[in-house]
Amino acid sequence: MQPTTPNFKQNARDAIANDPLQAALGKLAVGFPMRRLEAAARLPEFENLRDQARDIKTHVLENLDYYLEAYEQKVVESGGHVHWCRDAEEARETILEICQKAGAKTVTKSKSMISEEIAVNKYLEENGIEPVETDLGEYIIQLRKEPPSHIIAPAIHLSKEQVAETFRNAHIDLAADRDLDEPRSLLEEARAKLREKFLGADVGLTGANMLIAETGTNVLVTNEGNADLTNNLPRVHVVIASIEKIVPTLEDASTILRVLARSATGQDISVYTTFCTGPRRPEDLDGPEEYHVVLLDNGRSEMIGSEFHEMLRCIRCGACLNHCPIYKSVGGHAYGWVYSGPMGAVLIPNLIGMEEAQHLPNASTLCGKCESVCPMRIPLPKMLRKWRERQFRAHTGAPSARWALRGWAWLAKRPGLYRWAMNVGVAVLGQFGGRGRFRSLPLASGWTSKRDLAAPAGDTFINQFHKGARGDQSGALMRKKVH
Amino acid sequence: MSDTAKPTVGLFATCLVDLMRPVVGFAAVKLLEDAGCRVDVPVAQTCCGQPAYNSGDKTDAQDIAKSVIETFEGFDYVVAPSGSCAGMIKDHYPEAFEDDTEWRPRAQALAAKTYELMSFLADVRGVTSTGAAFEGTVTYHDSCSGLRELGIKDQPRALLSTVSGLHISEGKETETCCGFGGLFCVKYPDISEKMVDAKVDDIVATGADTVLAGDLGCLMNIAGRLQRRGLSIKARHAAEVLAGMSAAPAIGEPADEE
Amino acid sequence: MSAREEILGRLRGKLGHSDAPNASNPALDHIQEHHKNLIPKRGDLDKAQRVDLFVQEATRVNATVVRVATLEDVPDQVSAYLREHQLPAKIKIAPHESLKSLNWQAKTSLMVDEGRGAGDDGVSVSVAYGGVAETGTLVMSSGPQSPTSLNFLPLDHIVVLQAADIAGDYETVWERIRNKAGPGKLPRTVNWITGPSRTADIEQTLLLGAHGPQRLHILIVDQPGG
């Protein structure tokens, strides 16, 4: 998709004015964090498991070349095919080719962020193949031609009335006066519609939550079961996954699974965790006859060893979105591309370029909540700061802000001059701040457009202190033994 | 204790306290002296460099950090009445010099003896009560840096709970960012407004008449929004209350109103 | 240069690895070790407690669980389930030896089909490879006796699980599967199933039965054999 990331500020304003979106975000902001906390509280080992999950991926990234080769060998041994792709275009072409060879008319899909990243749906449509998203949320936004607004809850921004309207416009073969008031009736309509698609599809395209090197397996995690009908029923199963999805063993996958759902939805484990290895065996009664893995780089190998290396540990759980005060204010679409939230703010500039995405690393208070909940302990604020350093070196951003900042720094490096300037400034502002605060102030409109500004007291603390002032003294202090 | 046996504390007043709210500096000095420390406030201090560091201006941030290190490395401890500035020195100075073999050890040494005020009082000096009094219901906002970089959560509450006449009413979102974020609040005013409004709503819901915190940046943001919305809830640095210096007008309030 | 060589080459360069073939590297060594990471204490129980924990956890996630003494009790339980939910007396069973050998017609007349799942199947009965007490999870392993489609197409899924096959944790079941399939191999599909299908994609309202079964009914067989 064409990123709207450069319009982040306007996108954010629109999002803040969008009432149904704000209602949805308000609900999300309470529900997900509360359930995550409850799940973590039920598992005393949760924090230690986070450490281990981090260590597993750290080890994988340090040996990624070895693991990819080992993984590939196992896929081939189990009868599957691995297609290495440098970028989105190669991946799209590879998928199309597999579909065309299979004579496919319909491709069912289960939710995959990588498939959003490479915009494969549009490409398949242009080539006469119908892609059908089967995750309920993805199905809804596909009908609306929108990108996902959350990694694990793609239609979180919509009200049930909006979904009903979408279904009425899309399912024109059904009675116009049917009752679509409740989420249950919406679900039943989608289930029936998608059941036809599942049974008729020629190719099933899934993502992968993990790729297991030990066995050449892809792991799929869903609550709906759509990934299972997608990979099991069609004649061909295609997995699209990026190279950093590798984990070494079944044991390592299990450890990561123990933190994934707890971090994402607050479930102990998702309803369906599926391990697919190769095509169906000769004696099997069902399953695909062909198994393909499209292994995508798309900028990841360049991130190895860079200051964004640790971002490759991300398992796309969405916890950083659920806990981010910025995400909770503006939702996912404001970020203007397929990812959002803190992980998006780090990843998007890596994938579409710093120029396009320059707002994202700046639109953060670096409050650190994301890092505190990330199951893989990715230092997201540190990486946002790394982007800001790159931008500063490249002179992107408003020149006025740059000069104000550099001016302050210039002064801060000259204590004598700084003290003189501050004394003058504080004295002047103190003169005008008789009511204790300013409602508007030239050069501070960024602040005073939204809030009052407290006025300084007329003399600096350091001045007063060195003149011998000690403030108002009273009270007695008690201490316990110093340890 | 003789004066020479007392540990020396260099008070890093922070630029905001120095310029905007001297009473916090006096409160810090008093609390530190009462806790048995010899306090000095070096005149050569300016800013910790965080605005530059968080804006990607690493070179200027390093230069400012060097001057802070030089000014403060002679003290036994460095204490700041701010989780944000203490976090800058403690967490980010060593990080800013990670590739600098000369300055990294000096940054690490300074980091090791740098503390936020309330955690220093409680954890290092073993202060259990400051003997202050304050009539009213307060709620406490956890500043992000203090909470997540320095693990400050229980210390201010433990100290405040011994203030006579003071009742603490906890918000539901005390750990959520207020939307200040330094330059963030002027670069992205709409998002910042949304965040500070959520913070203000949470404070209002506690029924408190005063909101306390350990960081003047957050407090000025919250106070400014409270006042813009015409709410009468007052905002103060927790040190003012702990030092019994709450006779001063609250943040952004005129002197004659008290 | 092929994409494969380009990607691997870049990784080798950045990681400082040589491209010479080597029988041993940190990845291959780690894979062969099957090292177990931290396993939560929650499932570390004796057999009876494990079964109890499994029941508790499966029930928490909206599965229904009934314990039966022997495999021969299964047809009665299936009939009772169909009556309780007012479902047609028609089931599709997995072609599993332990189900095929049962006398489905002893008390009630049931239409029993066997084979893979079909789009119009209402109720399926299949046999779990194992269970995991830690989270009340069923482990289904695909094969001629256990077609995967039966786990997903019907609206009602009934699963027969031997109490003896309930492990405390996932790792124990992996070991069993690995021993049976051989090192580095797995059946085409292993499904962990924890409760019935669900979605919260519309206004974060939790609804069961999104694409997979709306109800998951587990029959735990206490005595082995049959």
Side-chain angles (χ1 to χ4, degrees):
Chain A
M1 69 177 271
Q2 186 61 37
T4 67
T5 310
N7 307 330
F8 175 79
K9 274 191 166 182
Q10 186 56 47
N11 292 350
R13 271 195 288 275
D14 294 345
I16 289 169
N18 178 338
D19 291 338
L21 172 65
Q22 290 300 325
L25 292 171
K27 214 188 269 186
L28 167 142
V30 176
F32 277 129
M34 187 186 73
R35 288 191 289 272
R36 175 187 174 276
L37 267 184
E38 287 168 1
R42 264 171 51 82
L43 188 69
E45 296 89 346
F46 185 64
E47 294 302 319
N48 291 338
L49 285 164
R50 286 174 66 188
D51 290 340
Q52 294 200 339
R54 171 199 58 201
D55 295 346
I56 290 166
K57 285 295 279 234
T58 300
H59 164 78
V60 167
L61 295 176
E62 280 163 6
N63 297 284
L64 189 56
D65 52 339
Y66 299 140
Y67 275 113
L68 285 166
E69 288 180 301
Y71 165 77
E72 177 188 39
Q73 191 190 337
K74 287 297 170 185
V75 174
V76 172
E77 279 176 20
S78 63
H81 307 272
V82 177
H83 310 264
W84 300 71
C85 297
R86 296 176 184 88
D87 53 28
E89 191 185 342
E90 276 190 4
R92 285 193 295 263
E93 282 168 4
T94 304
I95 292 169
L96 177 66
E97 208 173 296
I98 297 168
C99 292
Q100 285 173 334
K101 267 193 195 149
K105 291 189 183 64
T106 307
V107 174
T108 42
K109 286 185 64 198
S110 72
K111 204 178 80 58
S112 149
M113 292 308 293
I114 298 294
S115 87
E116 298 282 349
E117 186 181 317
I118 66 169
V120 69
N121 285 4
K122 185 162 167 280
Y123 189 72
L124 290 175
E125 276 167 19
E126 286 165 3
N127 286 279
I129 293 170
E130 183 197 11
V132 183
E133 294 289 352
T134 62
D135 171 83
L136 179 58
E138 283 281 340
Y139 176 64
I140 294 165
I141 62 167
Q142 186 188 23
L143 293 177
R144 295 172 64 90
K145 302 195 184 336
E146 288 177 0
S149 68
H150 189 287
I151 315 180
I152 63 160
I156 193 115
H157 56 289
L158 298 172
S159 67
K160 63 180 195 285
E161 289 76 20
Q162 290 172 302
V163 177
E165 189 199 335
T166 305
F167 282 8
R168 282 188 205 286
N169 293 338
H171 305 154
I172 45 175
D173 54 321
L174 300 176
D177 59 350
R178 66 195 187 279
D179 179 4
L180 288 178
D181 290 348
E182 288 309 312
R184 170 57 67 185
S185 47
L186 293 166
L187 170 63
E188 273 165 13
E189 182 163 317
R191 181 179 166 113
K193 278 284 166 196
L194 286 167
R195 188 49 72 94
E196 297 164 17
K197 301 291 184 186
F198 280 128
L199 295 168
D202 312 291
V203 172
L205 179 59
T206 70
N209 291 81
M210 290 182 263
L211 304 172
I212 303 176
E214 174 188 354
T215 48
T217 299
N218 73 279
V219 183
L220 294 168
V221 176
T222 74
N223 279 314
E224 298 183 1
N226 61 309
D228 292 286
L229 295 172
T230 302
N231 85 65
N232 182 264
L233 299 178
R235 207 177 58 72
V236 179
H237 177 196
V238 180
V239 178
I240 167 88
S242 49
I243 54 174
E244 83 283 11
K245 288 284 161 195
I246 296 266
V247 297
T249 63
L250 296 164
E251 282 79 4
D252 293 325
S254 304
T255 298
I256 291 175
L257 286 165
R258 284 193 179 100
V259 297
L260 173 59
R262 288 182 172 96
S263 301
T265 58
Q267 293 168 283
D268 286 356
I269 188 117
S270 299
V271 176
Y272 300 113
T273 305
T274 299
F275 304 81
C276 304
T277 312
R280 67 194 284 179
R281 311 296 185 255
E283 64 280 15
D284 283 349
L285 302 181
D286 57 13
E289 288 162 27
E290 285 177 38
Y291 179 75
H292 299 267
V293 180
V294 178
L295 203 50
L296 176 69
D297 182 346
N298 211 28
R300 270 87 178 165
S301 59
E302 286 294 348
M303 288 167 71
I304 290 282
S306 79
E307 59 251 74
F308 306 108
H309 175 98
E310 291 176 277
M311 190 62 220
L312 296 172
R313 290 205 298 265
C314 177
I315 54 173
R316 307 289 191 265
C317 69
C320 62
L321 282 65
N322 298 340
H323 292 78
C324 174
I326 313 293
Y327 179 90
K328 289 191 281 195
S329 298
V330 302
H333 284 165
Y335 292 77
W337 203 51
V338 298
Y339 300 102
S340 58
M343 59 78 64
V346 173
L347 193 59
I348 292 173
N350 272 295
L351 299 179
I352 67 171
M354 187 175 81
E355 287 297 314
E356 292 271 297
Q358 57 167 292
H359 275 301
L360 301 188
N362 291 294
S364 165
T365 60
L366 305 180
C367 82
K369 186 74 187 173
C370 48
E371 182 176 355
S372 77
V373 297
C374 173
M376 309 307 284
R377 300 200 192 280
I378 298 171
L380 291 154
K382 181 178 166 183
M383 287 188 285
L384 292 173
R385 209 182 276 111
K386 291 290 177 195
W387 275 122
R388 295 180 186 186
E389 285 172 21
R390 281 202 190 186
Q391 291 179 350
F392 192 85
R393 286 199 299 271
H395 288 256
T396 56
S400 57
R402 183 184 183 85
W403 286 117
L405 190 74
R406 293 224 66 188
W408 172 258
W410 184 85
L411 209 52
K413 287 188 279 189
R414 291 163 177 79
L417 197 59
Y418 174 93
R419 187 90 359 246
W420 176 82
M422 292 308 127
N423 287 344
V424 171
V426 163
V428 170
L429 285 176
Q431 286 288 311
F432 291 102
R435 286 182 316 190
R437 57 184 182 265
F438 300 99
R439 284 189 67 81
S440 73
L441 195 66
L443 302 176
S445 60
W447 178 281
T448 55
S449 67
K450 303 298 183 190
R451 49 185 98 58
D452 291 2
L453 177 65
D459 197 2
T460 66
F461 163 66
I462 290 176
N463 255 4
Q464 295 184 46
F465 180 83
H466 287 282
K467 284 181 209 158
R470 286 297 178 272
D472 172 37
Q473 305 272 321
S474 60
L477 180 136
M478 292 192 303
R479 285 168 65 195
K480 66 182 175 198
K481 236 175 138 141
V482 177
H483 35 86
Chain B
M1 202 184 324
S2 74
D3 256 20
T4 47
K6 288 179 177 177
T8 59
V9 170
L11 179 67
F12 187 85
T14 79
C15 52
L16 283 178
V17 165
D18 183 35
L19 305 179
M20 309 303 287
R21 202 154 171 81
V23 63
V24 179
F26 291 120
V29 171
K30 175 178 189 297
L31 290 166
L32 290 167
E33 286 179 346
D34 288 356
C37 303
R38 232 165 0 125
V39 183
D40 191 17
V41 185
V43 183
Q45 62 181 296
T46 60
C47 160
C48 66
Q50 196 196 57
Y53 191 62
N54 281 350
S55 302
D57 181 2
K58 199 172 173 182
T59 314
D60 277 329
Q62 284 171 331
D63 288 346
I64 296 170
K66 285 176 187 172
S67 126
V68 172
I69 293 168
E70 283 168 342
T71 306
F72 282 91
E73 61 193 347
F75 291 99
D76 295 333
Y77 297 105
V78 181
V79 174
S82 158
S84 175
C85 308
M88 177 69 195
I89 299 173
K90 218 171 168 56
D91 262 28
H92 300 303
Y93 278 13
E95 183 183 84
F97 293 110
E98 60 193 355
D99 305 320
D100 186 328
T101 50
E102 186 200 337
W103 282 93
R104 194 183 55 230
R106 292 175 74 178
Q108 285 168 336
L110 190 74
K113 57 186 179 186
T114 298
Y115 293 88
E116 179 277 338
L117 174 65
M118 288 178 284
S119 57
F120 178 76
L121 293 174
D123 298 342
V124 180
R125 302 302 298 162
V127 174
T128 55
S129 166
T130 62
F134 182 88
E135 283 304 320
T137 301
V138 305
T139 189
Y140 193 84
H141 162 70
D142 294 291
S143 84
C144 298
S145 309
L147 177 71
R148 282 181 278 271
E149 288 179 358
L150 305 175
I152 299 165
K153 173 88 186 173
D154 298 332
Q155 302 92 325
R157 288 173 173 78
L159 291 172
L160 287 167
S161 68
T162 68
V163 172
S164 91
L166 180 147
H167 170 71
I168 301 181
S169 175
E170 290 284 357
K172 284 192 177 137
E173 297 286 331
T174 63
E175 297 190 2
T176 302
C177 178
C178 71
F180 171 58
L183 291 176
F184 169 84
C185 72
V186 291
K187 276 190 183 166
Y188 300 94
D190 300 292
I191 304 173
S192 176
E193 176 189 14
K194 175 97 190 140
M195 289 164 67
V196 71
D197 268 341
K199 176 55 66 177
V200 164
D201 291 344
D202 193 55
I203 291 167
V204 169
T206 64
D209 43 58
T210 302
V211 54
L212 301 178
D215 267 276
L216 205 46
C218 316
L219 283 163
M220 287 179 61
N221 179 41
I222 294 168
R225 190 63 191 169
L226 282 165
Q227 286 152 358
R228 181 58 57 90
R229 283 175 52 176
L231 296 162
S232 62
I233 299 170
K234 304 282 185 275
R236 292 182 181 281
H237 194 291
E240 302 168 27
V241 171
L242 292 173
M245 292 190 180
S246 46
I251 296 170
E253 297 294 334
D256 56 0
E257 237 182 46
E258 295 290 309
Chain C
M1 203 193 318
S2 74
R4 181 183 189 278
E5 284 319 303
E6 191 180 317
I7 295 166
L8 286 174
R10 191 176 303 124
L11 290 173
R12 286 186 196 114
K14 296 207 179 246
L15 295 166
H17 294 163
S18 115
D19 60 353
N22 196 333
S24 168
N25 63 45
L28 294 175
D29 296 346
H30 180 91
I31 288 171
Q32 274 152 18
E33 279 169 20
H34 303 311
H35 171 74
K36 282 185 188 172
N37 304 305
L38 175 68
I39 296 175
K41 288 240 180 322
R42 191 197 276 184
D44 186 13
L45 302 165
D46 67 29
K47 190 192 156 194
Q49 291 171 319
R50 274 204 306 272
V51 177
D52 289 346
L53 179 63
F54 178 91
V55 174
Q56 177 197 312
E57 292 299 317
T59 309
R60 257 186 102 233
V61 291
N62 311 84
T64 49
V65 186
V66 169
R67 296 181 66 162
V68 298
T70 70
L71 201 54
E72 280 66 41
D73 299 323
V74 166
D76 275 357
Q77 282 298 331
V78 169
S79 298
Y81 178 86
L82 297 177
R83 276 195 306 276
E84 186 193 336
H85 295 286
Q86 298 179 320
L87 295 166
K90 185 172 177 238
I91 57 171
K92 172 76 73 72
I93 64 167
H96 193 282
E97 55 193 5
S98 59
L99 297 182
K100 284 162 73 166
S101 63
L102 294 174
N103 183 358
W104 292 95
Q105 314 297 348
K107 287 187 189 154
T108 45
S109 99
L110 263 179
M111 270 183 66
V112 181
D113 255 349
E114 68 172 61
R116 55 169 290 174
D120 54 357
D121 288 337
V123 182
S124 63
V125 183
S126 48
V127 178
Y129 183 81
V132 180
E134 182 180 346
T135 44
T137 299
L138 294 165
V139 180
M140 315 295 291
S141 174
S142 71
Q145 300 199 28
S146 181
T148 302
S149 44
L150 284 182
N151 305 340
F152 296 96
L153 283 168
L155 208 53
D156 287 83
H157 186 204
I158 301 174
V159 181
V160 175
L161 169 66
Q162 296 285 345
D165 291 338
I166 297 177
D169 49 70
Y170 311 122
E171 284 80 349
T172 305
V173 181
W174 282 134
E175 234 164 340
R176 259 181 73 202
I177 292 180
R178 195 182 270 137
N179 288 339
K180 190 177 166 202
K185 293 194 169 74
L186 281 185
R188 153 63 201 172
T189 309
V190 174
N191 297 114
W192 291 0
I193 300 179
T194 313
S197 161
R198 68 198 59 200
T199 184
D201 273 349
I202 301 172
E203 290 194 345
Q204 300 165 62
T205 308
L206 181 68
L207 298 169
L208 300 182
H211 289 297
Q214 190 169 344
R215 285 184 291 247
L216 175 67
H217 190 59
I218 303 169
L219 301 175
I220 297 179
V221 180
D222 281 324
Q223 285 168 28

